[in-house]
Amino acid sequence: MIESSRILLRPWQESDAEALYKYASDPIVGNRAGWPPHQSAGESLEIIRTVFNNPTTWAIVLKETGEAIGAMGYMPDCPLNLPAREGEPLVGYWVGKPHWNKGICTEALKLMLKYIRKETTYSSLISSHFIDNPASGRVMEKCGFLPTGETAIDESLYSGGKRTMRVLRLELQQNTMNIRLEQPEDYREVEDLTREAFWNVYAPGCVEHYVLNQYRHNPDFIKELDFVLEEDGKIIGHVMFSKAEIIKEDGTIMPAWTFGPISIHPDYKRKGYGLKLLQYALEKAKAMGIGFICMEGNIDFYKHAGFVVASTLGIHYHAEPKDAEVPYFLAQELIPGYLNGVEGTYHTPKGYYVAFENKEAFEAYEATFPKKEKKQQDGQLVDDCTKNPNE
C-alpha cells in the first residue's frame, strides 16, 4: 500500500467490483483511456480477477470514503504500438469522471513513481495519450514526463484505429531535478516544506508557511513566478514572488518586485539547490519584463545570484535611516538601467505581516500541523515568531 494524506494505492479487491462498475461504465472514461465501457458489475469483477490481478496495478482509493475511484499502474513490458525501448514499462491510469480536475491522477502518479524509483531499477518509463485527451498529458508532464516528439496509432485499443497518440517518456536515471509551477494539489506539501525550512531559524517556530498560505489570495501574488523544485519526484524547494513599490523622493510610486519565502528542505540545504531555483525564477521574471527586485536576506548567499546591498543603487529600507547601508536589504536590476538613477524607499508589502496582524488566525492555522518544539537559538532576530522584527 502506498499513500498520501488524501489517497492510497492498494491492490484491487473483489469487493471493489461495484465501485469499479460505477465509474468504468461511463463511456467517456473508457474512451479517453482506450478501453470499452464496462457493461455490468460482473464484468468489472472479472476485470479485477484477471486484468487487475498483478503486483503493478493499484486501485486509487479516496481515504475520506474508502472507495476505489480509479486505477494506476504499469506494465513491465510495453504491449502497445509505441516506440518503446527494450524492457521499458508502460504507465497507465484513469480516474472516475466525478473526480476529474482535482489533481488526483497527478497525486497518484507521483506516489507510483516514488515506488518505482525505490523498488525497481528501471531506467525509463513510456506512456501516451490520445491527442483529444490533453488533460492526461498534463498529468504526465507535471510528474516529469517529456514529449518524445513521436506519435503512434494502435488498433488494439478501443476506438484506437483512427486516433493519434502523443508519446511521452520519463528518464529515471538522469539528473532528476525539475522546476515547475506550483499547482493547487501541491499547496499543503509546500507549506509543510516551508515550515520545515524556516522552523527556529529567525525566531522560535516560524510564520513563513502562513505567509505563503495567505499570499496565494493576495492581489500582489504573482502566480507565474510561483515555482517548486523537485528531486526524484519529491518537492524539496519553493519560491514565490510579489509585487512591491518604491516611493521616490518626489513622492511618486515606482513599481518594484520582491520574492520570498524561498525554501529548501533541510535535508537538501547547502547542495546548490536554492541557487539553481532562484536563478531559474529570476530568468523567468526578467522574461516577463520585471526590471528590479529587492528583498531582505544574507548578502553572502544572494551575491551569487547577482544581488548587491540596495543602498548602492539608491534604494533605502523603510525601517532604517536613509543614509544607512543596510547589509540585509538587497537589490538587483534584472534589466540594466531600469532604475535610471532613481532614488527611493522600499516598504515591505503588507502581505508579509499577516501573521503579526492576525495572531489568532495564525495560531489556528499552525494547530493543523504536527507539533514541533520551538527553540531559542543564536542568530534569531526575535524571541517570538509572531513579533514583527522591524518593530
Side-chain angles (χ1 to χ4, degrees):
M1 186 172 65
I2 316 166
E3 62 183 315
S4 67
S5 60
R6 182 167 59 155
I7 63 172
L8 62 84
L9 305 184
R10 61 155 171 80
W12 283 89
Q13 303 167 357
E14 293 190 0
S15 58
D16 295 323
E18 290 291 343
L20 176 58
Y21 173 63
K22 179 172 73 171
Y23 295 116
S25 59
D26 186 333
I28 296 177
V29 174
N31 187 59
R32 286 195 171 198
W35 41 262
H38 293 197
Q39 300 300 312
S40 67
E43 179 183 354
S44 296
L45 176 60
E46 186 62 21
I47 293 293
I48 291 172
R49 288 172 172 172
T50 55
V51 178
F52 291 170
N53 186 22
N54 65 76
T56 62
T57 299
W58 294 271
I60 303 173
V61 177
L62 200 61
K63 281 187 171 181
E64 184 179 2
T65 63
E67 182 183 43
I69 61 171
M72 175 64 61
Y74 66 92
M75 303 180 73
D77 289 296
C78 178
L80 299 184
N81 181 35
L82 299 180
R85 299 166 182 168
E86 184 177 356
E88 186 173 48
L90 171 69
V91 169
Y93 49 83
W94 62 270
V95 70
K97 188 177 179 181
H99 303 283
W100 288 0
N101 301 316
K102 297 180 181 180
I104 290 174
C105 269
T106 301
E107 192 170 330
L109 180 54
K110 286 181 177 180
L111 285 176
M112 186 177 75
L113 292 178
K114 288 181 182 179
Y115 169 86
I116 290 173
R117 288 186 169 103
K118 180 179 178 181
E119 301 294 338
T120 77
T121 58
Y122 294 125
S123 59
S124 64
L125 304 170
I126 195 169
S127 193
S128 66
H129 66 91
F130 292 120
I131 60 173
D132 56 6
N133 181 20
S136 182
R138 288 194 291 272
V139 168
M140 297 180 211
E141 293 184 53
K142 289 177 185 177
C143 296
F145 282 78
L146 296 175
T148 67
E150 300 161 296
T151 58
I153 291 178
D154 194 313
E155 295 184 358
S156 69
L157 293 172
Y158 179 69
S159 70
K162 297 181 180 180
R163 297 171 70 196
T164 301
M165 295 182 292
R166 177 172 173 253
V167 182
L168 297 95
R169 174 174 282 114
L170 174 63
E171 301 286 355
L172 296 172
Q173 301 303 323
Q174 64 174 12
N175 180 2
T176 55
M177 188 184 81
N178 178 51
I179 299 174
R180 61 171 175 80
L181 290 172
E182 184 187 37
Q183 302 295 322
E185 59 265 27
D186 301 322
Y187 287 172
R188 183 66 177 193
E189 183 177 357
V190 171
E191 289 165 32
D192 187 62
L193 160 72
T194 304
R195 184 174 182 255
E196 290 293 321
F198 284 93
W199 194 261
N200 292 336
V201 174
Y202 298 116
C206 70
V207 299
E208 284 79 2
H209 53 314
Y210 184 62
V211 171
L212 173 60
N213 173 272
Q214 295 295 296
Y215 233 107
R216 297 193 187 97
H217 310 290
N218 190 311
D220 290 336
F221 179 69
I222 306 174
K223 64 180 181 179
E224 298 86 354
L225 296 174
D226 176 31
F227 294 109
V228 295
L229 182 152
E230 296 175 311
E231 181 64 54
D232 291 332
K234 174 185 177 181
I235 296 177
I236 65 166
H238 172 261
V239 65
M240 59 153 272
F241 282 66
S242 169
K243 298 174 185 177
E245 295 176 343
I246 300 295
I247 300 178
K248 297 194 288 186
E249 295 296 302
D250 62 4
T252 59
I253 294 175
M254 177 180 184
W257 296 264
T258 188
F259 69 88
I262 178 170
S263 309
I264 298 295
H265 191 280
D267 292 345
Y268 294 85
K269 286 186 176 180
R270 291 174 290 280
K271 295 182 179 180
Y273 287 105
L275 184 59
K276 289 177 182 178
L277 174 60
L278 180 57
Q279 289 173 329
Y280 177 92
L282 290 175
E283 284 297 321
K284 293 294 185 181
K286 182 178 179 179
M288 288 176 59
I290 290 176
F292 177 71
I293 296 282
C294 45
M295 50 84 65
E296 299 144 70
N298 186 336
I299 186 61
D300 290 336
F301 171 79
Y302 287 104
K303 67 182 180 183
H304 299 294
F307 284 84
V308 298
V309 174
S311 60
T312 64
L313 297 175
I315 304 301
H316 316 294
Y317 191 59
H318 66 95
E320 302 283 359
K322 284 190 176 182
D323 58 353
E325 183 174 302
V326 184
Y328 61 84
F329 179 49
L330 313 177
Q332 178 179 173
E333 282 186 313
L334 296 183
I335 299 175
Y338 178 85
L339 291 175
N340 194 27
V342 167
E343 288 197 25
T345 301
Y346 167 81
H347 290 259
T348 305
K350 184 177 175 61
Y352 283 96
Y353 298 118
V354 62
F356 312 132
E357 296 174 346
N358 196 339
K359 294 185 180 182
E360 290 185 2
F362 165 68
E363 291 297 340
Y365 167 78
E366 174 61 25
T368 66
F369 290 84
K371 288 188 176 181
K372 289 172 65 71
E373 183 181 0
K374 295 182 179 181
K375 295 181 180 180
Q376 291 190 338
Q377 299 179 159
D378 292 341
Q380 291 177 342
L381 302 178
V382 294
D383 56 8
D384 178 357
C385 69
T386 59
K387 181 179 179 181
N388 184 345
N390 293 317
E391 292 179 348

